Amino acid sequence: VVSSEGLACIQISSHKSYATVRNCTVKNATRAGIMICLDAEAVIDGCEIVHNAATGIAIHTGGRPTIVNCDIHSGRGNGIYASDHARGSVQRCKIHHNHRAQVSLCGSANLLVEDNTIWAGDDAGVIVYDSGLGQIIRNDIFDNELAGIQIKTCGNPHVTENKIHQGRQYGILVAEDGMGTICNNVVAENAHAGVAVKGSSDPTFQDNTICGGLDAGVVVYDSGRGTFARNDIHDNATAGVVVMSGADPTFCENKVRENTTAGVVVVAGGHGTFQNNQIVKNFGVGVEIKGAGSAPVFQANQVLDGKQEGILISDGAGGELYDNVVSRNVRAGLLVSQGAGPQVRANKFEEGLNTGVLVTNGGLGTYEGNTMAGNQRSNLTIEGAESHPVLTQNSIFGSPDFGVLVQDQAKATVIRNEIYGNSKSNLKVSTGASPDVRENRIFNGKSSGVFFCDESRGFLRLNEIFGNAGAGVQIRTGADPEVRHNWIHSGHQTGVHVCDGGRGVIESNDVYGHQWAGITVETNGAPTVLANRIRNEQFGIIVHTTASGQIEGNELFGDSQAAISLMEGAEACVRNNLIHPDSGVPLYIAGENRGQYSDQGIAGALLGSEQSPVQNYQASWTSPRAITCAGAPAITATP
């Protein structure tokens, strides 16, 4: 037993000194139990070092001890304190119940700390600071107060194969310009974040398991940085990863899975780059980006099988999403709301259990070159009076619901997309919405190509709409869109169907090749039909009982049963149309009809007459020959 009231019980100093201290009890020094300094070497083996005031063992000015199999505990300061280019090793020791950090490395100290058990300290288990170095390998570090390992002020250790668990606060805390390479550790069951990085620190975390924490797995904040690669971050009580307050880390090839509230959260001005991560099976949102100034980049990640939204962006946040796969999430694959305006390019939003992309409640953003396919609800839903996203060059197909749904007074710019093969309407616009839909290809839908209803408005221009099982364009229930300069062709029913009080301007479209009619108006529909080219339809324009509208300046030609047909009780105003009848009746007016008809042009030469090619024609009959539908399917009002 060595006890002293001096500065140290044992002091070994000078480069010529070499000592062995074995199986001693060293206690009650007013500063250090054992001090090794001035390049001295020593072996400290099997000793109990206890109740020393400042530190159990102090190593400085190049001291190089080998410390093995010691029990270093219950000091009022550090268990081991190494500074000023200290070297040496600490192996297979028990270091516990010290009042300050159990192992402290600073001032370019570079100890090997290996195979130790370090627990129950009132501060950090290991602290590396003030340019300290060190090799921290295969230690069991648990139940320490501040952090299992703390790195700060340019500390730069190599930390590998440790188990850091059940800390009272953090597992690993890197702060104040801390660095370090931390790899192949298990960081588990800590009360606060498993890993916390802040204050311009820039460590590297590779191949760690960070799990089971009572808070987040990883938190990066206050301008922290860092590179996180190939870590497995799972089963934490809140989020797997949190980035906030100016932090800008890089996460690549990590697994972030089965965390309770979210996989990754970027809030309060956080940034960061996330590449090639698997963010899967989280019980909350897969990725949440929230708040003005939050603008991370997510590229080539997989966001899969989450119990809520795949990605949620809100409250003025930005950010960039590129080349990600977002699939099989219970709620929307991507939800954008409350003034958020991300750049969303070349992602796949597929096979979701809800809508693929939902822009709601003031959501904005640009969505370009994405694939939205096979989602159980609409592939894309846009809703809310303040919402106005821009969508271009996306492929939107294969939903058992709508392809694109725009509703609840939303606006949107939908330009140069391909929207096809959806079970309900490829594009539905309802409840006061007013999108600008231009230069898209809308085709092969299993119902209507484009469906306007419920007081909606909007612009449908320069689109090619073809091959749809229902109407190419359907306008119902007070909808009043502008449908101009489109190519509407080769559908299985009618080209444009206006019914149930629908209105709209249908102008300068090229309409042809439908199985029933080019334009059908029925049940109180009242459109304005101007300057369209309608050809090769069984009926060019047909207006049914109780319907009305203005039909003016259109050109109709090709094989048909009737170019313009007005059924009994219709009230259309028909004038100044040019009709080239290859066959059939130019103008058919059935029964008592209260419409107005004037100045139709009939291309007489096409009828084989000797008249001039175009003559004015005023219809005067009410009952031409009987007309049949030649087996075409009945028009339905179902979108």
Side-chain angles (χ1 to χ4, degrees), residues 486-490 494-496 506 508-514 517-519 532-537 540 555 557:
N486 301 283
W487 294 265
I488 305 171
H489 66 91
S490 306
T494 189
V496 179
I506 303 165
S508 301
N509 302 284
D510 198 352
V511 183
Y512 61 93
H514 297 89
I519 298 175
N532 300 283
R533 287 168 53 86
I534 303 172
R535 54 192 168 92
N536 296 331
E537 307 281 14
E555 185 176 12
F557 54 97

Side-chain angles (χ1 to χ4, degrees), residues 206-518:
Q206 296 177 340
D207 302 302
N208 302 283
T209 298
I210 303 168
C211 64
L214 304 182
D215 202 322
V218 177
V219 177
V220 189
Y221 63 108
D222 287 351
S223 302
R225 299 190 300 277
T227 299
F228 295 79
R230 300 184 304 279
N231 301 286
D232 190 1
I233 305 169
H234 67 90
D235 289 294
N236 295 287
T238 61
V241 175
V242 178
V243 179
M244 58 191 296
S245 54
D248 192 15
T250 297
F251 284 80
C252 58
E253 300 182 18
N254 301 281
K255 292 182 180 179
V256 185
R257 58 185 176 90
E258 299 176 17
N259 298 285
T260 302
T261 63
V264 176
V265 175
V266 183
V267 295
H271 295 83
T273 300
F274 296 79
Q275 296 177 312
N276 295 296
N277 300 285
Q278 294 183 24
I279 304 169
V280 299
K281 294 184 179 180
N282 293 285
F283 295 101
V285 177
V287 174
E288 182 173 7
I289 306 169
K290 183 176 181 179
S294 298
V297 175
F298 281 81
Q299 185 173 21
N301 302 282
Q302 293 184 331
V303 186
L304 310 175
D305 299 315
K307 299 299 186 277
Q308 296 187 27
E309 290 81 8
I311 302 173
L312 170 61
I313 308 176
S314 66
D315 295 294
E320 301 176 16
L321 307 181
Y322 299 109
D323 301 311
N324 302 285
V325 175
V326 184
S327 181
R328 302 191 302 269
N329 296 285
V330 171
R331 297 185 183 173
L334 168 63
L335 189 153
V336 180
S337 69
Q338 297 175 321
Q343 303 294 309
V344 182
R345 293 187 170 93
N347 303 280
K348 293 181 179 180
F349 300 97
E350 299 177 327
E351 299 179 3
L353 305 183
N354 204 293
T355 190
V357 175
L358 172 60
V359 183
T360 184
N361 192 21
L364 306 170
T366 299
Y367 305 78
E368 180 178 355
N370 302 284
T371 297
M372 306 175 194
N375 297 286
Q376 293 300 304
R377 301 289 296 274
S378 302
N379 279 319
L380 169 62
T381 301
I382 304 164
E383 62 186 21
E386 302 300 321
S387 298
H388 193 156
V390 176
L391 299 113
T392 183
Q393 300 179 56
N394 302 284
S395 293
I396 304 171
F397 63 92
S399 172
D401 201 59
F402 301 102
V404 178
L405 173 61
V406 188
Q407 62 185 2
D408 298 339
Q409 301 182 318
K411 296 179 175 62
T413 299
V414 183
I415 181 169
R416 293 191 291 278
N417 303 280
E418 288 206 341
I419 308 172
Y420 62 94
N422 298 284
S423 292
K424 296 185 180 179
S425 300
N426 278 326
L427 168 60
K428 180 181 178 182
V429 184
S430 70
T431 52
S434 182
D436 185 359
V437 182
R438 290 180 279 137
E439 302 178 41
N440 302 279
R441 297 178 77 235
I442 303 172
F443 62 98
N444 291 354
K446 299 176 184 178
S447 185
S448 303
V450 180
F451 176 35
F452 290 93
C453 64
D454 298 331
E455 307 293 334
S456 61
R457 300 177 65 86
F459 303 93
L460 189 66
R461 297 179 286 176
L462 296 168
N463 302 282
E464 185 180 12
I465 303 169
F466 64 96
N468 297 286
V473 177
Q474 185 170 108
I475 304 170
R476 293 178 60 183
T477 53
D480 191 15
E482 297 183 18
V483 181
R484 290 188 167 100
H485 304 291
N486 301 283
W487 294 265
I488 305 171
H489 66 91
S490 306
H492 297 283
Q493 290 194 12
T494 189
V496 179
H497 184 200
V498 186
C499 63
D500 296 343
R503 301 187 298 278
V505 176
I506 303 165
E507 181 177 3
S508 301
N509 302 284
D510 198 352
V511 183
Y512 61 93
H514 297 89
Q515 293 186 19
W516 171 246

Side-chain angles (χ1 to χ4, degrees), residues 544-565:
H544 287 273
T545 302
T546 73
S548 60
Q550 179 181 347
I551 301 171
E552 183 174 353
N554 301 283
E555 185 176 12
L556 301 99
F557 54 97
D559 290 327
S560 64
Q561 297 193 43
I564 299 176
S565 177

